[in-house]
Amino acid sequence: MAYGSEYGSEKKMAEGGNDAELLKEKANKYFKEKDYENAIKYYSEALEVNPTNAVYYSNRSLAYLRTECYGYALADATKALEIDKNYIKGYYRRATSNMALGKFKAALKDYDTVVKVRPNDKDAKMKYQECNKIVKQKAFERAIASDEIKKSVVDSLDIESMTIEDDYDGPKLEDGKVTETFMKDMMDWFKDQKKLHRKCAYQILVQVKDLLSKLPSLIEITLKETEKITICGDTHGQYYDLLNIFKLNGLPSETNPYHRTQLFNGDFVDRGSFSLEVILTLFGFKLLHPDNFFLLRGNHETDNMNQMYGFEGEVKAKYTAQMFQLFSEVFQWLPLAQCINSKVLVMHGGLFSEDGVTLEDLRKVERNRQPPDSGPMCDLLWSDPQPQNGRSVSKRGVSCQFGPDVTERFLEQNKLDFIVRSHEVKTEGYEVTHSGKCITVFSAPNYCDQMGNKGAYIHLRGSDLKPEFHQFTAVPHPNVKPMAYANSLMQMGMM
């Protein structure tokens, strides 16, 4: 009897193992099709059947990485190693998760483990060396930053002495100023994959830094009844989709109240491989229309993200390391939030890890820096809404997730109607949650050439501030893949 019972239990376990393997294979199929949501779903079901399989955790970790849930990815990789400390892929996953979170020393420790176990593994050695280089670079940057006064790149530039060669027939600023003609010429020039002369790029950057540095951290505007604002979400280096937004919605205009005011809500760069073209176009419009074209900072307008997800590599490939340093300085001056008619608050990420934050607190934020790991500035760039009440640990490993009750209390305290944020891919390009009080807008269609999502932008009219959603699909672009300039440490396979 005991033997039969033991045999039956073993048989059940074996069947369960087979079921789990079938679920894993189903998940792998979805992963290969870049349907990461379903991949996560079936890896999770496989883990319910067999919660002691390191490979399932490791694969789900990679799917979480693909959906930018770095916190969940780190937790799964750690769990895989708790189950099997000799599972080498787990160290790779955990290192990649830590890299994505800017925790380079922790990543280096895991790459070191892999190299010791596999001394002849060229890929492991390359990743260790690359990560070690970043750790040393960060230490060097900290040492420089501790000097009394950090000099600006602007101080070492002599733009006037930069000569524009005779064979350059592209757009030039007119008497050092951005004009409507220059903007149209530059957009066409970029469309043909041509490079703006470095003198013109530097002129734009120096001028926009000066302009942004004079702005408050919280921008406050009032729309007249007949006026309208367009709010766009993440564009992530998808230049040809940005051109399509302007085609569908109209170019910014001083005179036409219908197109007059436009706001781009952060994450202009990284992932897409035309980030330079996107950001120079947006900066150009900011200079042309300083009072009605608005840009807010996203979590990707930061050094750590740019180092991993492509913008730093792209600027260095197309121009120089010095120019990237200037971009970094400019990004630090981007405002963090915008209030419309004292009723709608726009930010890239979302609300706060603690109750009681007021608009006055946002006005006081010292933003000219890399974002801290916690506090209002971090939350504005990184947090996400969740359907359940309360707050929970962030899926990204930074900031928090906030529920409908958190939104309700914040709006009530600050006499606001709703918030608009971006930061997350949405299948339809937008999503309305928290009983209409939290709206997400995302403007990079078919994100990274693989998500199949629509893009969207929002119109708000001064008369009623009722959101109108406009969706659009991706347009063709030249054959340059997303992440073409990203750090090689972010590229990983699956088991």
Side-chain angles (χ1 to χ4, degrees):
M1 184 78 173
Y3 173 81
S5 167
E6 193 178 311
Y7 173 76
S9 146
E10 284 177 0
K11 185 180 177 189
K12 197 172 181 181
M13 281 172 67
E15 286 171 352
N18 288 337
D19 288 346
E21 275 299 297
L22 288 171
L23 288 164
K24 183 198 92 166
E25 291 305 321
K26 196 170 185 179
N28 285 356
K29 179 173 172 286
Y30 279 117
F31 187 97
K32 282 168 186 164
E33 291 168 358
K34 300 183 172 66
D35 184 347
Y36 302 120
E37 219 166 276
N38 271 316
I40 289 165
K41 178 187 170 189
Y42 286 106
Y43 287 136
S44 300
E45 288 185 15
L47 283 163
E48 283 172 22
V49 177
N50 182 1
T52 59
N53 190 304
V55 172
Y56 301 169
Y57 278 108
S58 177
N59 282 6
R60 190 173 70 174
S61 173
L62 185 58
Y64 278 136
L65 276 168
R66 291 287 189 265
T67 56
E68 302 180 16
C69 297
Y70 312 124
Y72 289 176
L74 181 61
D76 271 3
T78 302
K79 184 70 178 173
L81 291 169
E82 284 171 10
I83 293 168
D84 182 0
K85 68 178 193 315
N86 297 316
Y87 181 51
I88 294 299
K89 205 90 173 181
Y91 291 100
Y92 269 121
R93 294 282 189 270
R94 191 164 70 180
T96 309
S97 304
N98 275 316
M99 290 295 290
L101 290 165
K103 297 176 180 176
F104 303 112
K105 280 187 180 175
L108 186 63
K109 194 175 172 186
D110 281 337
Y111 285 131
D112 185 48
T113 302
V114 176
V115 168
K116 281 174 180 167
V117 174
R118 294 182 176 172
N120 298 320
D121 185 327
K122 287 181 183 175
D123 183 59
K125 200 174 284 185
M126 182 275 292
K127 284 181 164 59
Y128 173 82
Q129 289 168 347
E130 181 72 20
C131 188
N132 195 31
K133 189 169 81 177
I134 291 171
V135 168
K136 286 178 177 174
Q137 183 188 330
K138 293 288 176 189
F140 177 68
E141 286 168 2
R142 278 195 301 275
I144 292 174
S146 65
D147 291 349
E148 280 183 36
I149 299 170
K150 189 182 176 189
K151 279 196 165 185
S152 167
V153 171
V154 177
D155 299 332
S156 61
L157 286 176
D158 184 2
I159 295 176
E160 289 309 308
S161 69
M162 291 180 189
T163 55
I164 297 181
E165 297 76 13
D166 292 339
D167 60 354
Y168 174 77
D169 61 348
K172 299 171 197 166
L173 280 74
E174 296 171 31
D175 295 324
K177 290 182 179 173
V178 169
T179 62
E180 196 170 329
T181 302
F182 169 80
M183 286 305 301
K184 288 177 178 174
D185 289 346
M186 183 174 73
M187 287 191 290
D188 287 341
W189 189 253
F190 283 157
K191 190 177 178 182
D192 292 336
Q193 287 184 272
K194 294 176 180 176
K195 194 168 84 171
L196 185 68
H197 195 279
R198 70 188 181 103
K199 178 171 184 172
C200 303
Y202 273 123
Q203 285 174 312
I204 289 171
L205 287 172
V206 170
Q207 289 176 35
V208 87
K209 183 188 175 189
D210 180 60
L211 174 62
L212 294 174
S213 68
K214 292 168 182 168
L215 298 176
S217 291
L218 171 65
I219 303 288
E220 296 171 83
I221 67 164
T222 302
L223 294 177
K224 294 174 185 170
E225 284 214 349
T226 54
E227 288 179 334
K228 179 200 74 170
I229 186 170
T230 301
I231 304 172
C232 294
D234 304 36
T235 45
H236 274 301
Q238 296 186 195
Y239 180 67
Y240 295 84
D241 292 309
L242 175 66
L243 291 182
N244 190 37
I245 291 171
F246 289 136
K247 181 181 174 185
L248 295 170
N249 188 56
L251 289 171
S253 162
E254 290 286 349
T255 52
N256 185 337
Y258 190 73
H259 301 308
R260 189 172 176 207
T261 310
Q262 298 189 11
L263 164 59
F264 282 78
N265 195 24
D267 280 14
F268 318 118
V269 301
D270 280 340
R271 295 192 176 272
S273 297
F274 301 95
S275 291
L276 252 169
E277 290 77 4
V278 167
I279 194 62
L280 287 173
T281 300
L282 294 176
F283 281 168
F285 277 124
K286 181 63 188 170
L287 291 171
L288 186 61
H289 303 296
D291 298 325
N292 52 40
F293 189 84
F294 300 99
L295 303 171
L296 299 181
R297 191 176 187 180
N299 64 300
H300 277 267
E301 279 71 56
T302 57
D303 286 356
N304 279 350
M305 291 289 108
N306 295 162
Q307 189 165 34
M308 299 311 301
Y309 290 97
F311 185 59
E312 180 177 340
E314 183 179 343
V315 179
K316 286 178 175 177
K318 293 176 180 177
Y319 292 98
T320 61
Q322 182 194 48
M323 186 179 286
F324 174 72
Q325 282 308 118
L326 184 50
F327 268 111
S328 173
E329 288 182 28
V330 177
F331 287 165
Q332 292 189 165
W333 282 114
L334 284 163
L336 302 174
Q338 184 149 337
C339 193
I340 303 164
N341 288 29
S342 303
K343 289 296 176 188
V344 180
L345 187 67
V346 186
M347 76 290 284
H348 179 73
L351 295 181
F352 307 98
S353 302
E354 295 177 354
D355 281 352
V357 177
T358 64
L359 296 184
E360 185 56 33
D361 294 326
L362 303 189
R363 292 183 190 106
K364 291 176 182 172
V365 172
E366 295 288 337
R367 71 184 187 277
N368 181 27
R369 55 179 172 153
Q370 293 303 307
D373 293 332
S374 61
M377 181 175 176
C378 172
D379 296 331
L380 284 167
L381 300 179
W382 276 100
S383 72
D384 294 294
Q386 65 180 21
Q388 69 273 28
N389 279 339
R391 292 179 175 88
S392 59
V393 176
S394 169
K395 60 189 177 184
R396 300 174 190 268
V398 186
S399 185
C400 70
Q401 292 173 193
F402 59 94
D405 57 331
V406 175
T407 302
E408 186 69 46
R409 286 195 299 272
F410 174 80
L411 295 174
E412 196 173 311
Q413 181 178 5
N414 289 284
K415 298 181 173 60
L416 296 165
D417 290 347
F418 59 93
I419 65 168
V420 177
R421 40 89 62 181
S422 300
H423 196 38
E424 289 182 287
V425 187
K426 296 299 173 187
T427 305
E428 294 300 314
Y430 71 94
E431 186 176 64
V432 181
T433 56
H434 296 186
S435 304
K437 307 252 169 101
C438 177
I439 295 171
T440 299
V441 61
F442 192 84
S443 305
N446 194 26
Y447 181 44
C448 288
D449 283 1
Q450 63 186 34
M451 298 304 283
N453 60 292
K454 290 175 184 169
Y457 50 86
I458 300 171
H459 287 163
L460 297 179
R461 296 172 194 280
S463 54
D464 59 8
L465 298 177
K466 184 182 172 186
E468 294 174 9
F469 301 100
H470 298 264
Q471 297 168 295
F472 57 97
T473 53
V475 295
H477 64 76
N479 189 24
V480 182
K481 290 181 179 176
M483 299 283 277
Y485 302 97
N487 192 294
S488 58
L489 292 169
M490 297 314 295
Q491 312 299 329
M492 280 197 70
M494 179 193 62
M495 284 190 72

